Amino acid sequence: MNTLQAGKHKVVVTQRFFDAETIDYLAANGCEAVLADLPPGQGDGDLPLETMVRLLQGASGWIVGHAWVTRELLAALPDLQVVSRRGVGYERIDLDAVRDLGRVATIAAGANDATVADLTIGLMIAVARRFRECQAGLEAGSWAIPLGTDLYRKTVGVVGLGRIGRGVVRRLKGFEARVLAYDEVCDKVLAAEGAVEYVDLAAIFAHSDYLTIHAPLTPTTRFLAREETIRHMKPTSFLINAARGGLVEDRDLLAALKEKRLAGAGLDVFVSESDPSYLEVTRELISLPNVVATPHVGASTTDGLGRTNRVAAECVVAVLGGDTPPASCVVADGRQSAVAHENAS
């Protein structure tokens, strides 16, 4: 591990690409930034419990990537006050344990919305215009032209109108697309602007030329796109998932693509990221010529990571300073329950 600045609070960072400006910000606010020296190609989500405990011993703050934040891990780290995700998904954090043990868990809300929305549009264009096949042909010495499909004035279904989903809708305006939307909460601004048409899930699967999912991964949304819903999609349509592996049943998607019941898919996330039994499914998906795949890079640009680093660091500084981070960033806060427990004792 590489200690970069001296300070009052030890803050361990188990993510790569942590910029010097954010390290300086932490140092200026009484924090010692310690970057975990991860093996090449390995992320914090791959590390065993014993290694995580060793890395985080004595830390007051933890800026985390994709590690599982379990009750057992938190209990082994009595000094740890705040777990700050450099990202927005928190399905790998045991929120009940965070509250029960008097800790705080935060996300970098609003920092990577634009970056992921950009990638989503990029995946739509790349798979529809058959970029992968075009480049493979050129590399083989062929100038044959695979005919692609426009995004211009097509019908795009957006499932989930959170920050990223809304960003995708704004970008689609430039393509003069008709946007169908599904969300449990109606965005009155977008509806009033005529930017979206709210429909039910059945309609959004049936009528979309492009379907992109931007929902959180919960028991309710797991395998939202599966055989029962995919079979209603048009054979000329494209499925995009740049949100979370598990929103799409990759086995069912693979079958639909191989049977030509879908035109293609743009994928940044896969079920196999959390379930190794799907590794062969992932390998088959990314081998298909009508799949454009990226290795969960949605938030990973220099600009996007700079923003998420800073928000994650600001959350750490706020908690360690006795303050509360912005409400949009807090996913669990057990400090009051811990105080009540101490008073009762």
Side-chain angles (χ1 to χ4, degrees), residues 121-315:
I121 299 296
L123 287 172
M124 290 181 187
I125 294 173
V127 67
R129 294 301 302 270
R130 302 171 67 175
F131 285 178
R132 176 176 181 171
E133 294 168 80
C134 289
Q135 180 155 347
L138 287 171
E139 289 175 350
S142 171
W143 284 72
I145 299 175
L147 290 180
T149 303
D150 284 345
L151 178 55
Y152 175 62
R153 291 190 173 177
K154 287 299 195 300
T155 297
V156 181
V158 180
V159 178
L161 282 181
R163 291 177 297 268
I164 295 170
R166 292 195 300 271
V168 171
V169 171
R170 288 192 294 270
R171 284 157 177 76
L172 288 169
K173 185 176 181 181
F175 293 90
E176 299 181 25
R178 176 194 179 201
V179 180
L180 305 180
Y182 174 83
D183 199 291
E184 293 180 358
V185 179
C186 174
D187 188 308
K188 295 180 180 179
V189 174
L190 290 177
E193 292 175 350
V196 300
E197 302 170 40
Y198 280 91
V199 297
D200 60 23
L201 273 177
I204 210 167
F205 274 90
H207 299 299
S208 297
D209 298 307
Y210 298 80
L211 179 64
T212 180
I213 304 177
H214 298 284
L217 181 60
T218 67
T220 302
T221 62
R222 183 170 176 79
F223 294 159
L224 185 70
R226 59 190 184 280
E227 175 56 30
E228 293 90 328
T229 49
I230 292 173
R231 69 185 177 205
H232 295 296
M233 295 178 71
K234 297 182 288 187
T236 55
S237 60
F238 301 92
L239 180 62
I240 309 297
N241 186 10
R244 282 289 179 269
L247 293 170
V248 176
E249 202 342 331
D250 287 352
R251 287 195 176 101
D252 294 345
L253 173 61
L254 176 62
L257 290 167
K258 291 172 73 172
E259 295 165 13
K260 302 189 185 305
R261 291 184 282 119
L262 285 179
L267 305 172
D268 185 46
V269 290
F270 302 88
V271 180
S272 60
E273 293 177 70
S274 58
D275 185 347
S277 71
Y278 275 76
L279 284 171
E280 182 56 36
V281 177
T282 297
R283 281 191 283 266
E284 285 196 61
L285 278 170
I286 63 179
S287 71
L288 296 177
N290 57 343
V291 170
V292 172
T294 48
H296 203 148
V297 301
S300 298
T301 65
T302 301
D303 312 279
L305 291 180
R307 291 190 297 268
T308 51
N309 286 343
R310 182 57 179 254
V311 172
E314 288 173 349
C315 289

Side-chain angles (χ1 to χ4, degrees), residues 70-72 74-75 80-81 93-105 331-342:
T70 64
R71 185 179 295 271
E72 185 180 7
L74 292 173
L80 188 65
Q81 299 178 46
I93 301 176
D94 186 334
L95 301 183
D96 289 335
V98 170
R99 297 186 189 98
D100 293 345
L101 296 173
R103 318 298 173 83
V104 180
V331 293
D333 190 341
R335 290 177 294 182
Q336 290 304 316
S337 59
V339 170
H341 183 266
E342 288 177 8

